[in-house]
Amino acid sequence: MSLLLLFASPPIPALPANQQLKIYGKPINHRHLKSSRVSATRDDVDAFTEKSSYLFKLSSTDADSIVEYDLRKIASVYRRKPLILLRRVFQVGTTFGWWFGSRFVDELMERSDQMFPVRAAELRKILVELGPAYVKIAQAVSSRPDLIPPSYLDELSLLQDQITPFSSEVAFNTIEQELGLPIDELFSEISPEPVAAASLGQVYQARLRQSGRVVAVKVQRPGVQAAISLDIFILHFIAGLIRKARKFNTDLQELDYKIEAKNGLKFRQLYGGIQDVLIPEMYVEQTTRKVLIMEWVEGQKLSEVKDLYLIEVGVYCSFNQLLEKGFYHADPHPGNLFRSYDGKLAYIDFGMMGEFKEELREGFIEACLHLVNRDFDALAKDFVTLGLLPPTAEKEAVTKALTGVFQNAVAKGVRNISFGDLLGNLGATMYKFKFRIPSYFSLVIRSLAVLEGIAISSNPNYKVLGSTYPYIARKVLTDSSPQLKSSLVALLYKEGVFRIDRLESLLTESLRARTEKALIKKQTEDTDSRLITKEILSFTLTEKGAFVREILLQEFAKGLDALGIATLDYFTSAVIPFAAPFSFSSLTEEDRINLTNLRRLLLLLSRVQSSKSASVEVKEGSIYKNQTTYSEEASLVFYQLASAQEVLPILSVIPELPPELQQEFLHLPADLAGRLISRAAARTIRRMFL
C-alpha cells in the first residue's frame, strides 16, 4: 500500500493521557463504540469491494496458509472453492474482453488514435475496479518498456490506487483483535476517520497511551490478502505475468506489516544518518501482520512543494541505496516522499524493498560510465551483465541500436541528459528488439524517473543523471572493487594510449557537487578554478585516491621522460646541426602523445581556461598528423616548458592542505624520480639491444 499521510490534517492536540479514549478531544464510551461496530455500514463502498466482496470468504486457517506466495498452498485453498475461482475468472475475462473488443473495433474503424485517451481512462478504471493485484501489476509494468508498448507507459504511470476507505469500526475492531487489547488501552486519542486510504489498507493518526507519542496506525483492508492471492494464482496461468515480472512475492510480503516494520527499521539504520533525511521510527513490538504502528511525520508531499535541495538529497540517498548498501526503496512514487515541516526529506511506506547485489551495482556503475563516455560497444556488454540481454544476443546489432538511441542525447553533455528522454527512447528500442528488464532494474529506473519528474515540476531544466553523475564518478575513482578498478583502467586507456579527457571528466564531475556547494554557501573565498585544484590535490593525496594517484604519477613520468628526450633533441640540433640525422633520441609518436598528456595534466591541475586549452589542441594536432622536423619538435618542447609556469597555482594551494596531506605531497618527487629513472633505464636498454 502507498502510505499517504495527509499532513494537512490537524495534529492531535496535546492532552494528558487518561483512561478514557478520545477522538479529537471528544470522550468516547468504549463499550458503545465496540458494540456499534457490528451493525456499522458504509454507503460509499469502493468499486472493488462492491463487485468482488465474494473474494473475501476465507477462514483464518486458509488466510494464514497464503501469507507468502506459494502456488501449491494457494492452489490447495482455491481447489476447495471452485465456484469462487470460476466466478473470478469469468469476471476478469469479461471485463478485459470488453476493453480489448473496444480497441479492436477502434482499429477496424480506423479511430484508434482518436479514441486512445478514452480507452486509456477506461483501462485505469478497470484496473482499479478489479482490485489491488491489478493496480500493483499496472504500477510494476509502468516502468517495463519490454512488456508494454511505449504509448501506454505514461498512462499507466499515472495510475493511483487510492480508493474509498473501509469502515473505521471494522478497522478499530481489527486493531483490537491483532494487538489483543481494547483500543482505549492502546491509545489515548485516535482520529475518527482514516487520514489516507489505498487498496491495501488505511492510516489513522493516534497517540500512544503509555508514552504519549503521536503515531501513524496502518490497518490492512479486510479480505485483501485472499483477493490478491487468488488474482495472482489466476494470472499465473492465463497471462504468465508472474514469471515475467517476478515481483509478486514482494507484493504479498507487502501484506505482512511485520516485514514492513523490519524493512523500515533496517532502512532507518542504513540511511537515517544521512543529513536532512528522516526515516520514521518503527514500533516493531506493537506491530502485527495486519496492523503497523510507526512514528507520525508532519509535512507535505515532496511533489507539492518546490524544494530542489531536497530533490538533491533524495538523489544522493537513492544512489547511496543503489551504489553503496544495495538495500533500496522499491516503491518510490511521489506519495512516499515528503518534506517534513523542519525541512527534511521523509521516506514512508516500507512494504516493498529491493536488494541490489554487488555485481549488479558495479554493472550499473559501468553502464552509466560507458553511456556518458559514448562507449556503446561496452554498454551493450553491460546490458548482458545486468540481465537486460541474453549472452547470445548479437552485440553488433545491439551496439548499433544503442548508438541510434543515445548518440544525440549524450552529445549534449552529462549535465543536459534527460533521464526521462533516455528512458522513452530506450523503451521503444527495447520493445522492438524484445529486450528484457529484470524487476530489480525496472524499480531502479522508476526510482530515478520519479525523482526527475518531481524536480521538473519545480525546475523544467533539471536532469537527474547530471545530478547523480558526480556520485557515480567518485564511486568509480575511489572504490576498492577489483572490477571497478579494471573498468576504470579500461575506460582511461585504449590500446595502451591514455585518454586524459576521460580522467579530467571523472575528476571534475566527482568534485563538482562539493565545490558548487562550497561556492554557493560562500564557505570559501577561493575562485572556482582554485577550489577545484585544491579538491583534486586533496583527493589524490588521500588513501581513497591512491589508485588515481598511481595513474597520474605514471602519466607524469611518461610526459617528463618525453620532455627530456625532446629537450635533448633540441639542444643536439642547435649545437651540432649536422648530427641531427644521426640522433638516437628522436621523439616517437608515443612520446608526442605523452607530451600532450603532460600539458593537459598541468592544465587540469591549474584549471586554465578551456579557450587556452583549445589553442593548444590545434598546435598539437598538426604534430600528431604529420612527421615533424627537429625545429618543430623543439618549438613544441619550449611551448611545453613555458607551461611549467602553470605549476605555480598548484604549489600555492599546498600550504592550505591538512598537514598529513602536505606530508604525503612531499613524498611525490622521490616517487616520480624513481619512475623516471626506471623509464630512462628501460629506454636505454631497449635502444641498445633491440
Side-chain angles (χ1 to χ4, degrees):
M1 160 196 162
S2 304
L3 181 55
L4 306 176
L5 301 185
L6 304 183
F7 297 119
S9 61
I12 297 179
L15 299 174
N18 53 53
Q19 293 303 311
Q20 191 173 33
L21 177 69
K22 294 185 178 181
I23 297 185
Y24 278 99
K26 297 181 179 180
I28 297 294
N29 184 290
H30 178 65
R31 183 177 302 172
H32 172 72
L33 179 64
K34 187 172 182 179
S35 62
S36 67
R37 292 174 196 154
V38 178
S39 59
T41 61
R42 295 185 63 95
D43 296 329
D44 52 345
V45 176
D46 63 272
F48 169 61
T49 303
E50 181 180 4
K51 295 184 178 182
S52 310
S53 58
Y54 62 89
L55 299 177
F56 302 160
K57 311 286 186 185
L58 273 191
S59 66
S60 58
T61 302
D62 289 337
D64 291 339
S65 68
I66 55 174
V67 173
E68 297 180 359
Y69 182 75
D70 186 319
L71 188 61
R72 182 181 56 81
K73 291 181 179 180
I74 294 176
S76 66
V77 169
Y78 288 107
R79 198 174 289 121
R80 300 192 302 270
K81 302 177 182 294
L83 294 180
I84 291 180
L85 177 62
L86 292 175
R87 183 178 175 182
R88 183 59 171 172
V89 170
F90 178 79
Q91 183 182 29
V92 173
T94 54
T95 301
F96 277 117
W98 174 86
W99 186 83
F100 281 110
S102 300
R103 288 288 295 161
F104 180 71
V105 172
D106 292 340
E107 291 181 5
L108 290 178
M109 299 181 67
E110 299 183 349
R111 62 180 188 181
S112 296
D113 293 340
Q114 179 184 354
M115 294 297 294
F116 175 78
V118 176
R119 300 305 178 209
E122 290 173 347
L123 179 61
R124 289 196 300 271
K125 181 180 178 182
I126 286 172
L127 292 169
V128 171
E129 289 181 351
L130 286 177
Y134 292 89
V135 170
K136 291 298 180 182
I137 292 170
Q139 289 176 337
V141 300
S142 65
S143 55
R144 295 294 302 274
D146 57 329
L147 295 180
I148 299 297
S151 57
Y152 280 90
L153 293 179
D154 291 339
E155 297 298 326
L156 292 180
S157 66
L158 299 175
L159 185 68
Q160 299 293 322
D161 66 350
Q162 286 183 290
I163 59 177
T164 305
F166 59 92
S167 166
S168 289
E169 288 77 7
V170 173
F172 293 161
N173 192 45
T174 300
I175 293 173
E176 290 188 338
Q177 290 178 350
E178 287 292 307
L179 298 181
L181 288 172
I183 197 168
D184 57 354
E185 293 185 21
L186 296 167
F187 310 111
S188 57
E189 304 164 69
I190 191 168
S191 57
E193 298 293 335
V195 296
S199 58
L200 301 187
Q202 56 199 39
V203 178
Y204 294 84
Q205 189 184 41
R207 186 186 300 279
L208 293 174
R209 180 168 294 282
Q210 290 186 346
S211 65
R213 300 187 66 177
V214 179
V215 294
V217 182
K218 186 174 174 180
V219 186
Q220 189 176 113
R221 183 176 292 271
V224 71
Q225 181 177 325
I228 288 181
S229 65
L230 176 58
D231 283 335
I232 293 176
F233 177 68
I234 294 172
L235 285 170
H236 179 87
F237 291 102
I238 67 173
L241 292 178
I242 300 296
R243 293 187 296 274
K244 290 184 178 180
R246 299 189 183 188
K247 77 186 288 289
F248 295 103
N249 185 38
T250 302
D251 284 345
L252 284 176
Q253 288 180 4
E254 193 179 4
L255 295 174
D256 189 340
Y257 289 164
K258 291 187 294 184
I259 294 177
E260 179 172 348
K262 292 178 180 178
N263 288 339
L265 182 63
K266 182 177 180 179
F267 198 83
R268 178 183 172 94
Q269 291 171 344
L270 292 176
Y271 311 115
I274 296 177
Q275 183 177 352
D276 294 324
V277 169
L278 174 61
I279 314 297
E281 180 181 353
M282 296 287 161
Y283 293 82
V284 180
E285 298 299 325
Q286 295 171 279
T287 293
T288 69
R289 186 161 56 86
K290 295 182 180 180
V291 176
L292 169 67
I293 299 179
M294 60 187 288
E295 176 186 358
W296 179 269
V297 178
E298 292 283 348
Q300 296 174 277
K301 291 181 183 179
L302 187 60
S303 58
E304 296 175 352
V305 296
K306 295 183 178 182
D307 195 329
L308 285 178
Y309 169 70
L310 285 189
I311 294 292
E312 295 287 351
V313 172
V315 167
Y316 174 77
C317 187
S318 293
F319 269 74
N320 203 279
Q321 297 169 43
L322 297 175
L323 304 184
E324 297 293 340
K325 308 298 184 182
F327 184 71
Y328 65 94
H329 200 293
D331 192 17
H333 63 74
N336 286 340
L337 299 172
F338 280 79
R339 182 189 186 278
S340 66
Y341 286 153
D342 58 352
K344 295 183 178 181
L345 176 67
Y347 284 83
I348 58 175
D349 194 342
F350 306 97
M352 290 177 60
M353 310 300 291
E355 292 281 355
F356 209 19
K357 297 179 181 179
E358 185 174 359
E359 60 269 23
L360 297 177
R361 300 202 299 266
E362 293 174 348
F364 181 76
I365 293 171
E366 291 172 327
C368 290
L369 285 174
H370 294 145
L371 171 64
V372 171
N373 288 281
R374 287 175 274 187
D375 191 345
F376 299 117
D377 183 60
L379 184 61
K381 296 177 182 177
D382 295 332
F383 275 32
V384 174
T385 301
L386 292 170
L388 302 175
L389 288 171
T392 56
E394 188 178 347
K395 303 297 189 302
E396 291 184 4
V398 173
T399 299
K400 184 177 180 180
L402 294 178
T403 302
V405 169
F406 294 135
Q407 183 70 52
N408 293 334
V410 177
K412 300 176 183 177
V414 64
R415 301 191 190 192
N416 298 310
I417 297 175
S418 168
F419 187 81
D421 291 345
L422 286 181
L423 183 59
N425 295 338
L426 181 62
T429 301
M430 283 195 156
Y431 187 73
K432 177 181 178 181
F433 286 93
K434 305 302 180 184
F435 289 5
R436 62 192 185 196
I437 297 183
S439 60
Y440 79 87
F441 196 73
S442 68
L443 295 172
V444 170
I445 291 174
R446 186 180 175 198
S447 175
L448 298 178
V450 165
L451 286 170
E452 185 169 81
I454 295 175
I456 287 175
S457 64
S458 301
N459 178 8
N461 297 320
Y462 183 85
K463 304 292 186 292
V464 71
L465 188 56
S467 180
T468 56
Y469 189 65
Y471 305 116
I472 296 174
R474 192 166 186 84
K475 175 74 173 177
V476 78
L477 288 172
T478 61
D479 201 272
S480 59
S481 162
Q483 180 178 336
L484 289 184
K485 285 184 177 181
S486 176
S487 297
L488 178 59
V489 172
L491 185 72
L492 298 181
Y493 291 90
K494 183 176 183 180
E495 297 177 355
V497 178
F498 181 55
R499 294 182 280 190
I500 187 174
D501 56 320
R502 294 191 170 185
L503 178 62
E504 181 177 8
S505 173
L506 285 171
L507 282 172
T508 53
E509 287 296 332
S510 69
L511 300 170
R512 173 164 59 90
R514 293 176 58 184
T515 54
E516 287 181 352
K517 184 176 181 181
L519 288 169
I520 290 172
K521 293 188 176 182
K522 298 181 180 180
Q523 295 174 343
T524 175
E525 296 180 356
D526 290 338
T527 63
D528 189 9
S529 297
R530 181 181 174 81
L531 182 58
I532 292 179
T533 298
K534 187 189 301 183
E535 289 289 344
I536 290 176
L537 280 176
S538 298
F539 164 68
T540 54
L541 291 173
T542 61
E543 183 178 352
K544 284 190 174 182
F547 190 67
V548 175
R549 182 169 68 246
E550 288 296 309
I551 293 176
L552 289 174
L553 285 172
Q554 175 178 296
E555 295 307 318
F556 264 112
K558 289 180 181 179
L560 291 174
D561 179 43
L563 186 60
I565 299 301
T567 305
L568 180 60
D569 280 359
Y570 171 77
F571 283 110
T572 301
S573 300
V575 176
I576 314 176
F578 61 83
F582 306 101
S583 173
F584 290 99
S585 58
S586 299
L587 286 173
T588 64
E589 188 68 20
E590 180 185 354
D591 292 327
R592 297 187 190 98
I593 294 174
N594 291 336
L595 278 173
T596 301
N597 288 338
L598 176 63
R599 165 69 176 169
R600 293 192 62 178
L601 283 171
L602 291 171
L603 290 175
L604 170 63
L605 293 177
S606 60
R607 305 303 301 167
V608 174
Q609 296 301 317
S610 59
S611 59
K612 185 174 179 181
S613 178
S615 67
V616 176
E617 291 297 323
V618 174
K619 294 183 179 182
E620 293 169 349
S622 63
I623 295 172
Y624 269 62
K625 294 179 182 178
N626 304 294
Q627 183 65 29
T628 60
T629 65
Y630 287 107
S631 60
E632 289 173 331
E633 290 173 353
S635 298
L636 175 61
V637 171
F638 283 117
Y639 193 87
Q640 295 295 141
L641 286 171
S643 71
Q645 297 175 5
E646 294 158 12
V647 178
L648 295 178
I650 303 174
L651 297 177
S652 67
V653 302
I654 299 300
E656 302 172 16
L657 298 176
E660 63 274 12
L661 297 187
Q662 293 184 34
Q663 191 68 27
E664 189 67 34
F665 182 81
L666 294 177
H667 295 155
L668 296 183
D671 193 349
L672 188 58
R675 294 169 187 264
L676 277 171
I677 293 172
S678 297
R679 283 189 64 84
R683 182 192 289 268
T684 301
I685 294 172
R686 186 167 60 250
R687 291 190 174 181
M688 287 177 62
F689 297 101
L690 297 180

